[in-house]
Amino acid sequence: MNLRRLSEQVALLKNPQRSDQFVRQFRNAVRDGVFDATELPERFELPKQYAKRGQDAAYSKSVKEMVFEINPAFEQWFDELDNQLTQNKRTRKIKPSLEAFSKGELDFKALAAATRAKMKASEEKGKKLGATRKGRKK
Protein backbone atom coordinates (compact mmCIF):
# COMPACT_ATOMS: atom_id res chain seq x y z
CA MET A 1 0.00 0.00 0.00
CA ASN A 2 1.25 3.44 -0.91
CA LEU A 3 0.50 5.74 2.06
CA ARG A 4 1.23 9.43 2.55
CA ARG A 5 0.84 11.96 5.35
CA LEU A 6 -1.47 14.94 4.92
CA SER A 7 1.42 17.28 5.77
CA GLU A 8 3.42 15.85 2.85
CA GLN A 9 0.47 16.38 0.49
CA VAL A 10 -0.02 19.96 1.71
CA ALA A 11 3.63 20.63 0.83
CA LEU A 12 2.82 19.66 -2.80
CA LEU A 13 0.22 22.43 -3.20
CA LYS A 14 0.96 25.04 -5.85
CA ASN A 15 -0.38 27.82 -3.62
CA PRO A 16 0.50 27.24 0.06
CA GLN A 17 -1.67 30.19 1.14
CA ARG A 18 -4.71 28.05 0.26
CA SER A 19 -3.61 25.14 2.49
CA ASP A 20 -6.45 25.74 4.95
CA GLN A 21 -9.00 25.39 2.14
CA PHE A 22 -7.28 22.23 0.93
CA VAL A 23 -7.38 20.64 4.39
CA ARG A 24 -11.07 21.53 4.74
CA GLN A 25 -11.86 19.96 1.33
CA PHE A 26 -9.70 16.92 2.17
CA ARG A 27 -11.58 16.31 5.44
CA ASN A 28 -14.92 16.76 3.65
CA ALA A 29 -13.88 14.20 1.01
CA VAL A 30 -12.91 11.71 3.71
CA ARG A 31 -16.23 12.30 5.49
CA ASP A 32 -18.14 11.80 2.22
CA GLY A 33 -16.27 8.57 1.43
CA VAL A 34 -14.40 9.82 -1.65
CA PHE A 35 -11.26 8.15 -0.26
CA ASP A 36 -10.10 6.64 3.04
CA ALA A 37 -7.87 8.29 5.62
CA THR A 38 -7.12 7.90 9.30
CA GLU A 39 -6.17 10.48 11.91
CA LEU A 40 -2.89 10.39 13.79
CA PRO A 41 -2.43 11.81 17.29
CA GLU A 42 0.10 14.46 16.21
CA ARG A 43 -0.52 17.86 14.59
CA PHE A 44 1.33 19.87 11.95
CA GLU A 45 1.58 23.56 11.07
CA LEU A 46 -0.10 24.79 7.90
CA PRO A 47 2.18 26.77 5.59
CA LYS A 48 -0.44 29.54 5.32
CA GLN A 49 0.53 32.71 7.16
CA TYR A 50 -2.28 34.62 8.85
CA ALA A 51 -2.02 38.28 9.79
CA LYS A 52 -4.12 40.16 12.30
CA ARG A 53 -5.35 43.53 11.21
CA GLY A 54 -3.21 46.33 12.58
CA GLN A 55 -0.35 44.02 13.62
CA ASP A 56 2.88 43.18 11.85
CA ALA A 57 3.34 39.69 13.29
CA ALA A 58 2.11 36.68 11.29
CA TYR A 59 0.97 33.39 12.77
CA SER A 60 0.01 29.95 11.51
CA LYS A 61 -2.50 27.31 12.54
CA SER A 62 -2.04 23.63 13.23
CA VAL A 63 -4.28 20.76 12.14
CA LYS A 64 -4.49 17.06 12.92
CA GLU A 65 -2.18 14.85 10.91
CA MET A 66 -3.80 12.18 8.76
CA VAL A 67 -2.58 9.25 6.69
CA PHE A 68 -4.24 8.23 3.45
CA GLU A 69 -3.72 5.86 0.54
CA ILE A 70 -2.50 7.24 -2.77
CA ASN A 71 -4.34 5.86 -5.79
CA PRO A 72 -5.24 7.21 -9.24
CA ALA A 73 -8.64 8.45 -8.02
CA PHE A 74 -6.98 10.47 -5.28
CA GLU A 75 -4.37 11.85 -7.68
CA GLN A 76 -7.12 13.04 -10.02
CA TRP A 77 -9.07 14.58 -7.13
CA PHE A 78 -5.94 16.34 -5.86
CA ASP A 79 -5.00 17.72 -9.29
CA GLU A 80 -8.50 19.15 -9.85
CA LEU A 81 -8.69 20.69 -6.38
CA ASP A 82 -5.15 22.10 -6.59
CA ASN A 83 -6.00 23.77 -9.91
CA GLN A 84 -9.20 25.23 -8.42
CA LEU A 85 -7.32 26.57 -5.41
CA THR A 86 -4.62 28.09 -7.61
CA GLN A 87 -7.10 30.15 -9.62
CA ASN A 88 -7.85 33.60 -8.30
CA LYS A 89 -11.53 33.49 -7.38
CA ARG A 90 -11.85 37.06 -6.21
CA THR A 91 -13.53 39.26 -8.73
CA ARG A 92 -14.28 42.90 -8.25
CA LYS A 93 -17.96 43.53 -7.72
CA ILE A 94 -19.11 46.35 -9.94
CA LYS A 95 -21.32 48.87 -8.19
CA PRO A 96 -24.33 50.09 -10.16
CA SER A 97 -23.66 53.58 -11.52
CA LEU A 98 -24.40 55.57 -14.64
CA GLU A 99 -20.82 55.03 -15.82
CA ALA A 100 -21.02 51.25 -15.28
CA PHE A 101 -24.25 51.05 -17.30
CA SER A 102 -22.93 53.26 -20.11
CA LYS A 103 -19.67 51.27 -20.37
CA GLY A 104 -21.65 48.03 -20.61
CA GLU A 105 -20.11 46.56 -17.44
CA LEU A 106 -23.59 45.91 -16.06
CA ASP A 107 -26.76 44.79 -17.83
CA PHE A 108 -29.33 47.54 -17.28
CA LYS A 109 -32.33 45.42 -18.39
CA ALA A 110 -31.43 42.55 -16.05
CA LEU A 111 -30.93 44.83 -13.06
CA ALA A 112 -34.15 46.70 -13.87
CA ALA A 113 -36.04 43.39 -13.92
CA ALA A 114 -34.46 42.40 -10.58
CA THR A 115 -35.41 45.78 -9.09
CA ARG A 116 -38.98 45.41 -10.35
CA ALA A 117 -39.25 41.92 -8.84
CA LYS A 118 -37.84 43.17 -5.53
CA MET A 119 -40.29 46.08 -5.43
CA LYS A 120 -43.26 43.80 -6.24
CA ALA A 121 -42.22 41.36 -3.53
CA SER A 122 -41.95 44.21 -1.04
CA GLU A 123 -45.38 45.49 -2.00
CA GLU A 124 -46.93 42.03 -1.67
CA LYS A 125 -45.28 41.59 1.71
CA GLY A 126 -46.71 44.93 2.85
CA LYS A 127 -50.20 44.03 1.64
CA LYS A 128 -50.02 40.66 3.35
CA LEU A 129 -48.84 42.25 6.58
CA GLY A 130 -51.61 44.87 6.38
CA ALA A 131 -54.23 42.20 5.74
CA THR A 132 -53.18 40.19 8.79
CA ARG A 133 -53.24 43.31 10.99
CA LYS A 134 -56.72 44.22 9.71
CA GLY A 135 -58.11 40.97 11.05
CA ARG A 136 -56.69 41.57 14.53
CA LYS A 137 -58.56 44.83 15.21
CA LYS A 138 -61.53 44.61 17.55
Short mmCIF file of all heavy atoms in Angstrom, two decimals, residues 101-138:
data_model
loop_
_atom_site.label_atom_id
_atom_site.label_comp_id
_atom_site.label_asym_id
_atom_site.label_seq_id
_atom_site.Cartn_x
_atom_site.Cartn_y
_atom_site.Cartn_z
N PHE A 101 -23.23 51.41 -16.31
CA PHE A 101 -24.25 51.05 -17.30
C PHE A 101 -23.84 51.51 -18.70
O PHE A 101 -23.99 50.79 -19.68
CB PHE A 101 -25.62 51.62 -16.93
CG PHE A 101 -26.23 50.98 -15.73
CD1 PHE A 101 -26.60 51.74 -14.63
CD2 PHE A 101 -26.45 49.62 -15.68
CE1 PHE A 101 -27.17 51.15 -13.52
CE2 PHE A 101 -27.02 49.01 -14.58
CZ PHE A 101 -27.38 49.79 -13.48
N SER A 102 -23.29 52.73 -18.79
CA SER A 102 -22.93 53.26 -20.11
C SER A 102 -21.72 52.52 -20.71
O SER A 102 -21.63 52.40 -21.92
CB SER A 102 -22.66 54.76 -20.03
OG SER A 102 -21.58 55.02 -19.16
N LYS A 103 -20.81 52.03 -19.87
CA LYS A 103 -19.67 51.27 -20.37
C LYS A 103 -20.06 49.83 -20.74
O LYS A 103 -19.29 49.13 -21.39
CB LYS A 103 -18.57 51.20 -19.32
CG LYS A 103 -17.83 52.50 -19.10
CD LYS A 103 -16.75 52.32 -18.06
CE LYS A 103 -16.04 53.61 -17.73
NZ LYS A 103 -15.06 53.41 -16.64
N GLY A 104 -21.23 49.40 -20.30
CA GLY A 104 -21.65 48.03 -20.61
C GLY A 104 -21.13 47.01 -19.61
O GLY A 104 -21.20 45.81 -19.84
N GLU A 105 -20.62 47.48 -18.46
CA GLU A 105 -20.11 46.56 -17.44
C GLU A 105 -21.25 45.85 -16.72
O GLU A 105 -21.08 44.75 -16.22
CB GLU A 105 -19.24 47.32 -16.43
CG GLU A 105 -17.96 47.88 -17.03
CD GLU A 105 -17.20 48.76 -16.05
OE1 GLU A 105 -17.77 49.15 -15.02
OE2 GLU A 105 -16.02 49.05 -16.34
N LEU A 106 -22.41 46.50 -16.68
CA LEU A 106 -23.59 45.91 -16.06
C LEU A 106 -24.73 45.91 -17.06
O LEU A 106 -24.85 46.81 -17.89
CB LEU A 106 -24.00 46.72 -14.82
CG LEU A 106 -23.05 46.68 -13.63
CD1 LEU A 106 -23.51 47.65 -12.56
CD2 LEU A 106 -22.98 45.28 -13.05
N ASP A 107 -25.60 44.90 -16.94
CA ASP A 107 -26.76 44.79 -17.83
C ASP A 107 -27.93 45.56 -17.21
O ASP A 107 -28.48 45.15 -16.19
CB ASP A 107 -27.11 43.31 -18.02
CG ASP A 107 -28.25 43.11 -19.00
OD1 ASP A 107 -28.67 44.09 -19.65
OD2 ASP A 107 -28.71 41.94 -19.12
N PHE A 108 -28.27 46.69 -17.81
CA PHE A 108 -29.33 47.54 -17.28
C PHE A 108 -30.67 46.81 -17.23
O PHE A 108 -31.39 46.88 -16.24
CB PHE A 108 -29.46 48.81 -18.12
CG PHE A 108 -30.57 49.71 -17.63
CD1 PHE A 108 -30.40 50.49 -16.51
CD2 PHE A 108 -31.78 49.76 -18.31
CE1 PHE A 108 -31.43 51.30 -16.06
CE2 PHE A 108 -32.81 50.57 -17.86
CZ PHE A 108 -32.63 51.35 -16.73
N LYS A 109 -31.03 46.11 -18.31
CA LYS A 109 -32.33 45.42 -18.39
C LYS A 109 -32.45 44.36 -17.29
O LYS A 109 -33.50 44.24 -16.66
CB LYS A 109 -32.51 44.77 -19.76
CG LYS A 109 -32.60 45.76 -20.90
CD LYS A 109 -33.92 46.51 -20.86
CE LYS A 109 -34.04 47.40 -22.08
NZ LYS A 109 -35.22 48.22 -22.05
N ALA A 110 -31.39 43.60 -17.07
CA ALA A 110 -31.43 42.55 -16.05
C ALA A 110 -31.57 43.14 -14.65
O ALA A 110 -32.36 42.65 -13.84
CB ALA A 110 -30.17 41.69 -16.13
N LEU A 111 -30.82 44.20 -14.37
CA LEU A 111 -30.93 44.83 -13.06
C LEU A 111 -32.27 45.53 -12.88
O LEU A 111 -32.82 45.55 -11.77
CB LEU A 111 -29.78 45.81 -12.84
CG LEU A 111 -28.44 45.16 -12.55
CD1 LEU A 111 -27.32 46.19 -12.47
CD2 LEU A 111 -28.49 44.36 -11.27
N ALA A 112 -32.83 46.08 -13.95
CA ALA A 112 -34.15 46.70 -13.87
C ALA A 112 -35.21 45.64 -13.56
O ALA A 112 -36.11 45.88 -12.74
CB ALA A 112 -34.47 47.42 -15.17
N ALA A 113 -35.09 44.48 -14.19
CA ALA A 113 -36.04 43.39 -13.92
C ALA A 113 -35.91 42.92 -12.48
O ALA A 113 -36.92 42.65 -11.80
CB ALA A 113 -35.80 42.24 -14.89
N ALA A 114 -34.69 42.83 -11.97
CA ALA A 114 -34.46 42.40 -10.58
C ALA A 114 -35.03 43.44 -9.62
O ALA A 114 -35.65 43.08 -8.60
CB ALA A 114 -32.97 42.20 -10.32
N THR A 115 -34.87 44.72 -9.93
CA THR A 115 -35.41 45.78 -9.09
C THR A 115 -36.93 45.72 -9.08
O THR A 115 -37.56 45.86 -8.03
CB THR A 115 -34.93 47.16 -9.59
OG1 THR A 115 -33.51 47.18 -9.57
CG2 THR A 115 -35.48 48.28 -8.74
N ARG A 116 -37.52 45.51 -10.25
CA ARG A 116 -38.98 45.41 -10.35
C ARG A 116 -39.49 44.25 -9.51
O ARG A 116 -40.46 44.39 -8.75
CB ARG A 116 -39.39 45.24 -11.81
CG ARG A 116 -40.89 45.28 -12.04
CD ARG A 116 -41.28 45.17 -13.51
NE ARG A 116 -40.63 46.17 -14.35
CZ ARG A 116 -39.64 45.91 -15.21
NH1 ARG A 116 -39.20 44.69 -15.37
NH2 ARG A 116 -39.11 46.89 -15.93
N ALA A 117 -38.84 43.10 -9.61
CA ALA A 117 -39.25 41.92 -8.84
C ALA A 117 -39.13 42.19 -7.33
O ALA A 117 -40.00 41.80 -6.55
CB ALA A 117 -38.41 40.72 -9.24
N LYS A 118 -38.06 42.85 -6.95
CA LYS A 118 -37.84 43.17 -5.53
C LYS A 118 -38.93 44.12 -5.02
O LYS A 118 -39.46 43.95 -3.92
CB LYS A 118 -36.46 43.80 -5.37
CG LYS A 118 -36.07 44.12 -3.96
CD LYS A 118 -34.65 44.68 -3.93
CE LYS A 118 -34.27 45.17 -2.56
NZ LYS A 118 -32.96 45.80 -2.55
N MET A 119 -39.27 45.12 -5.83
CA MET A 119 -40.29 46.08 -5.43
C MET A 119 -41.67 45.43 -5.34
O MET A 119 -42.45 45.72 -4.43
CB MET A 119 -40.31 47.26 -6.41
CG MET A 119 -39.07 48.13 -6.31
SD MET A 119 -38.99 49.40 -7.57
CE MET A 119 -40.12 50.60 -6.90
N LYS A 120 -41.98 44.52 -6.28
CA LYS A 120 -43.26 43.80 -6.24
C LYS A 120 -43.34 42.91 -5.01
O LYS A 120 -44.38 42.85 -4.34
CB LYS A 120 -43.45 42.97 -7.51
CG LYS A 120 -43.85 43.78 -8.71
CD LYS A 120 -44.09 42.88 -9.92
CE LYS A 120 -44.49 43.70 -11.13
NZ LYS A 120 -44.71 42.86 -12.31
N ALA A 121 -42.24 42.23 -4.70
CA ALA A 121 -42.22 41.36 -3.53
C ALA A 121 -42.42 42.17 -2.26
O ALA A 121 -43.14 41.76 -1.35
CB ALA A 121 -40.92 40.58 -3.47
N SER A 122 -41.81 43.33 -2.20
CA SER A 122 -41.95 44.21 -1.04
C SER A 122 -43.39 44.69 -0.90
O SER A 122 -43.94 44.73 0.21
CB SER A 122 -40.99 45.39 -1.17
OG SER A 122 -41.13 46.25 -0.08
N GLU A 123 -43.99 45.04 -2.03
CA GLU A 123 -45.38 45.49 -2.00
C GLU A 123 -46.31 44.37 -1.53
O GLU A 123 -47.19 44.59 -0.70
CB GLU A 123 -45.80 45.99 -3.39
CG GLU A 123 -47.22 46.50 -3.43
CD GLU A 123 -47.67 46.86 -4.84
OE1 GLU A 123 -47.12 46.30 -5.81
OE2 GLU A 123 -48.59 47.68 -4.97
N GLU A 124 -46.10 43.18 -2.07
CA GLU A 124 -46.93 42.03 -1.67
C GLU A 124 -46.77 41.73 -0.18
O GLU A 124 -47.74 41.43 0.50
CB GLU A 124 -46.57 40.80 -2.51
CG GLU A 124 -46.96 40.91 -3.96
CD GLU A 124 -48.47 41.07 -4.14
OE1 GLU A 124 -49.25 40.38 -3.43
OE2 GLU A 124 -48.87 41.89 -4.98
N LYS A 125 -45.54 41.83 0.29
CA LYS A 125 -45.28 41.59 1.71
C LYS A 125 -46.02 42.61 2.57
O LYS A 125 -46.62 42.27 3.59
CB LYS A 125 -43.77 41.66 1.98
CG LYS A 125 -43.38 41.36 3.39
CD LYS A 125 -41.87 41.40 3.54
CE LYS A 125 -41.46 41.19 4.98
NZ LYS A 125 -40.01 41.32 5.17
N GLY A 126 -46.00 43.87 2.13
CA GLY A 126 -46.71 44.93 2.85
C GLY A 126 -48.20 44.70 2.86
O GLY A 126 -48.87 44.90 3.88
N LYS A 127 -48.76 44.31 1.72
CA LYS A 127 -50.20 44.03 1.64
C LYS A 127 -50.58 42.87 2.54
O LYS A 127 -51.61 42.92 3.22
CB LYS A 127 -50.60 43.72 0.19
CG LYS A 127 -50.66 44.93 -0.70
CD LYS A 127 -51.08 44.55 -2.10
CE LYS A 127 -51.14 45.74 -3.02
NZ LYS A 127 -51.51 45.35 -4.39
N LYS A 128 -49.76 41.85 2.53
CA LYS A 128 -50.02 40.66 3.35
C LYS A 128 -49.96 41.03 4.82
O LYS A 128 -50.82 40.62 5.61
CB LYS A 128 -49.00 39.57 3.01
CG LYS A 128 -49.25 38.25 3.66
CD LYS A 128 -48.23 37.24 3.17
CE LYS A 128 -48.42 35.91 3.82
NZ LYS A 128 -47.40 34.94 3.41
N LEU A 129 -48.97 41.81 5.19
CA LEU A 129 -48.84 42.25 6.58
C LEU A 129 -50.03 43.12 6.97
O LEU A 129 -50.59 42.95 8.05
CB LEU A 129 -47.53 43.02 6.77
CG LEU A 129 -47.21 43.50 8.18
CD1 LEU A 129 -47.07 42.31 9.12
CD2 LEU A 129 -45.95 44.32 8.18
N GLY A 130 -50.45 44.01 6.10
CA GLY A 130 -51.61 44.87 6.38
C GLY A 130 -52.89 44.07 6.50
O GLY A 130 -53.73 44.38 7.35
N ALA A 131 -53.04 43.03 5.69
CA ALA A 131 -54.23 42.20 5.74
C ALA A 131 -54.30 41.42 7.05
O ALA A 131 -55.37 41.25 7.63
CB ALA A 131 -54.27 41.25 4.56
N THR A 132 -53.16 40.96 7.55
CA THR A 132 -53.18 40.19 8.79
C THR A 132 -53.44 41.12 9.98
O THR A 132 -54.08 40.72 10.94
CB THR A 132 -51.84 39.44 9.02
OG1 THR A 132 -50.78 40.37 9.05
CG2 THR A 132 -51.61 38.39 7.97
N ARG A 133 -52.99 42.36 9.90
CA ARG A 133 -53.24 43.31 10.99
C ARG A 133 -54.69 43.77 10.99
O ARG A 133 -55.25 44.08 12.04
CB ARG A 133 -52.32 44.53 10.85
CG ARG A 133 -50.90 44.21 11.22
CD ARG A 133 -50.05 45.44 11.24
NE ARG A 133 -48.70 45.12 11.64
CZ ARG A 133 -47.68 45.90 11.48
NH1 ARG A 133 -47.83 47.07 10.88
NH2 ARG A 133 -46.49 45.52 11.89
N LYS A 134 -55.32 43.81 9.82
CA LYS A 134 -56.72 44.22 9.71
C LYS A 134 -57.61 43.27 10.48
O LYS A 134 -58.55 43.68 11.13
CB LYS A 134 -57.13 44.22 8.23
CG LYS A 134 -57.93 45.39 7.81
CD LYS A 134 -58.36 45.22 6.37
CE LYS A 134 -57.81 46.36 5.55
NZ LYS A 134 -58.26 46.28 4.17
N GLY A 135 -57.30 41.98 10.39
CA GLY A 135 -58.11 40.97 11.05
C GLY A 135 -57.97 40.98 12.56
O GLY A 135 -58.82 40.47 13.27
N ARG A 136 -56.92 41.57 13.07
CA ARG A 136 -56.69 41.57 14.53
C ARG A 136 -57.45 42.66 15.26
O ARG A 136 -57.64 42.59 16.46
CB ARG A 136 -55.20 41.77 14.81
CG ARG A 136 -54.37 40.58 14.45
CD ARG A 136 -52.96 40.80 14.90
NE ARG A 136 -52.08 39.83 14.28
CZ ARG A 136 -50.80 39.95 14.19
NH1 ARG A 136 -50.18 41.01 14.69
NH2 ARG A 136 -50.06 39.03 13.61
N LYS A 137 -57.87 43.72 14.55
CA LYS A 137 -58.56 44.83 15.21
C LYS A 137 -59.90 44.37 15.77
O LYS A 137 -60.59 43.57 15.17
CB LYS A 137 -58.78 45.98 14.23
CG LYS A 137 -57.51 46.69 13.86
CD LYS A 137 -57.83 47.86 12.95
CE LYS A 137 -56.58 48.59 12.58
NZ LYS A 137 -56.84 49.69 11.67
N LYS A 138 -60.24 44.95 16.93
CA LYS A 138 -61.53 44.61 17.55
C LYS A 138 -62.42 45.80 17.69
O LYS A 138 -62.07 46.90 17.82
CB LYS A 138 -61.31 44.00 18.93
CG LYS A 138 -60.65 42.65 18.84
CD LYS A 138 -60.56 42.03 20.20
CE LYS A 138 -59.94 40.66 20.10
NZ LYS A 138 -59.83 40.02 21.33
#
